Amino acid sequence: MAALHKGGRHGDGSRRMSRGRSNQPPGEAGEPISDFIRQLEAELPYPPRVRDQVIAEVRDHLESLAARELNDRYTRPEAEARAISAFGTTEDFITRFEQQGGPTPADGSPSLGVGASVGVYVALVVAAIVWTPAREAWPAIVAAAAVFATCLSPTRRNLGPLIGGAMGAILGNVAIAHYIAFRGAGPVAPNVEQIYVWSMVIGACVGMLVGLVPRLRRDPSPLLWATVFGIAGHVVARLWLEDSPSLTSLATLATGLVLGTALGLHRIGRRLLPLALGTMIGATGGTILIPLSFRLGLPAYVSAGLILTISTIVGLLGGAATATATRRRLPHAPPT
Amino acid sequence: MPDELAKGHLDLLLLAALENGPLHGYGLIEAIRASSDGVFDLPEGSVYPALHRLERAGLLKSSWSESGGRARRRYSLTRKGKTELRRERLEWRRFTKAVGTVTGAGG
């Protein structure tokens, strides 16, 4: 890997610059670095975000090499060609990544873990919808269909955060459908069983977030933190719904928090984080928007439509943001 | 043998080179070459797989900036990376001392 040679750099410049097979003979006119970058971009087997970052680094490196060669009175094309000659071929570069544990084609792409967790969430959603009278469930069903169609669009390559946001939007909208179905003449408590399921899911999501926070991994009582945060948030939401939380509901929430935190502490929680946060944001958004729509005096289905749209957007954004922050700890995109 | 030594200790070289401040890939190669008086002359582009791997392991963090009108990615040590550097330095000292003792070449 490293050729260890004594001797000055510029004195042996030709030695260094001849290492590696040249992609273009020195002195050939054109834009060798741009051509090299185009070739590398076509050959790098990584998702777009990873590929863009690697390309930016390689371009910067080649330009720095070329700038050094310009100081030795080579022309610009010659300097670029010598830089590429020293850097090596695109094949060598990609091979080094594969051999030395660099990015893999799977980075930034959906994983089997995401697929499995989506299946679990879908099962929960189906279970929740089953408890909704069919005539009142259509807003949630329509929203679910629309969001899934967006997620499966061929223009989106990374389904993880979108599916996470979609799950959040779906659960939030299922909660809305239940609330509308049972509200009667005014705001009333939604279906009790659905609240228990919803509380457990929310608690699990909060628990996973807590379990994944690095400093809380060293805390001997992460479950305590998860319970405090989760219950506080749930109580606030339930009070805003003009309903006081029952002991059963809180117990369900605590159960979800325990399970979620356990998942968060386990490595599988990292893969589920986009789904967890997207779900929590979407469902919490629905919780906040329900009483707001009633206070505004909007007709039931008009308010449902507004809430569907807002919670869907919030859920999608939340899922995408968390997926970006957690996947392989990739840094921010290069400035444009 | 020197090539094998460098190959096995590339992580240590990179972590040590970053101890004094953030550097980008090209700067790292130049810094290692300069501080080793030309003994370690790493091939251009060879550090990037290791840098990405170390960042995924949490030993490095990176940030983007603009330099000369183009994007530049600089790496720096995290707290975990500094701890790892101290550990690897200690292991290297033990290794060289042991080799010196066995071979009579001094440690």
Side-chain angles (χ1 to χ4, degrees), chain A residues 122-133 171 174-175 178 194 197-198:
Chain A
V122 168
L124 285 175
V125 169
V126 169
I129 290 177
V130 164
W131 289 336
T132 307
L171 283 177
V174 167
H178 275 282
Q194 193 271 338
V197 171
W198 185 25

Side-chain angles (χ1 to χ4, degrees), chain A residues 1-6 9 15-16 19 53-54 56-57 60-61 63-65 68 86-87 93 96-97 100-103 328-329 331-336, chain B residues 2-3 6-7 10 24-26 29-30 33 38-46 48-50 52-53 55-56 58 62 64-66 70-73 75:
Chain A
M1 173 188 298
L4 307 175
H5 302 276
K6 282 197 173 288
R9 177 164 51 82
R15 168 187 59 77
R16 289 201 63 245
R19 185 183 317 118
Q53 290 171 352
V54 173
E57 279 189 284
D60 181 41
H61 194 113
E63 294 286 355
S64 300
L65 277 172
R68 191 183 70 194
F87 193 85
F93 182 73
R96 278 197 216 107
F97 263 105
Q100 297 172 29
R328 301 290 185 170
R329 301 188 187 183
H332 300 299
T336 54
Chain B
D3 287 350
K7 182 178 179 180
L10 179 61
H24 58 302
Y26 176 79
I29 292 175
E30 293 293 304
R33 182 185 303 118
V39 173
F40 296 134
D41 195 7
L42 301 175
E44 307 291 342
S46 63
Y48 292 106
H52 281 243
R53 175 170 43 77
E55 185 174 25
R56 284 216 308 279
S62 66
W64 291 91
S65 61
E66 284 218 9
R70 58 181 183 268
R72 172 163 293 175
R73 186 176 180 178
Y75 296 86

Side-chain angles (χ1 to χ4, degrees), chain A residues 213-227:
Chain A
V213 175
R215 64 177 179 273
L216 290 178
R217 287 176 174 272
R218 296 190 292 271
D219 192 302
S221 58
L223 296 179
L224 174 63
W225 287 100
T227 303

Side-chain angles (χ1 to χ4, degrees), chain A residues 318-331:
Chain A
T322 52
T324 302
T326 58
R327 287 197 183 280
R328 301 290 185 170
R329 301 188 187 183
L330 291 174

Side-chain angles (χ1 to χ4, degrees), chain B:
Chain B
M1 181 169 167
D3 287 350
E4 291 301 315
L5 281 176
K7 182 178 179 180
H9 295 88
L10 179 61
D11 288 1
L12 173 58
L13 293 175
L14 293 175
L15 293 175
L18 288 169
E19 192 176 23
N20 293 326
L23 286 171
H24 58 302
Y26 176 79
L28 268 168
I29 292 175
E30 293 293 304
I32 291 172
R33 182 185 303 118
S35 59
S36 67
D37 198 24
V39 173
F40 296 134
D41 195 7
L42 301 175
E44 307 291 342
S46 63
V47 298
Y48 292 106
L51 290 173
H52 281 243
R53 175 170 43 77
L54 292 172
E55 185 174 25
R56 284 216 308 279
L59 304 182
L60 300 181
K61 59 186 177 185
S62 66
S63 61
W64 291 91
S65 61
E66 284 218 9
S67 177
R70 58 181 183 268
R72 172 163 293 175
R73 186 176 180 178
R74 285 191 173 87
Y75 296 86
S76 56
L77 291 177
T78 61
R79 189 177 301 177
K80 187 178 176 184
K82 291 175 185 172
T83 303
E84 178 65 14
L85 175 58
R86 281 195 294 271
R87 189 190 69 79
E88 291 204 23
R89 264 202 184 114
L90 191 60
E91 279 192 16
W92 178 253
R93 288 191 188 115
R94 285 179 184 157
F95 173 77
T96 54
K97 183 180 177 182
V99 170
T101 302
V102 171
T103 61

Side-chain angles (χ1 to χ4, degrees), chain A residues 12-26:
Chain A
D12 287 319
S14 59
R15 168 187 59 77
R16 289 201 63 245
M17 299 306 281
S18 65
R19 185 183 317 118
R21 297 189 293 279
S22 173
N23 280 358
Q24 198 164 9

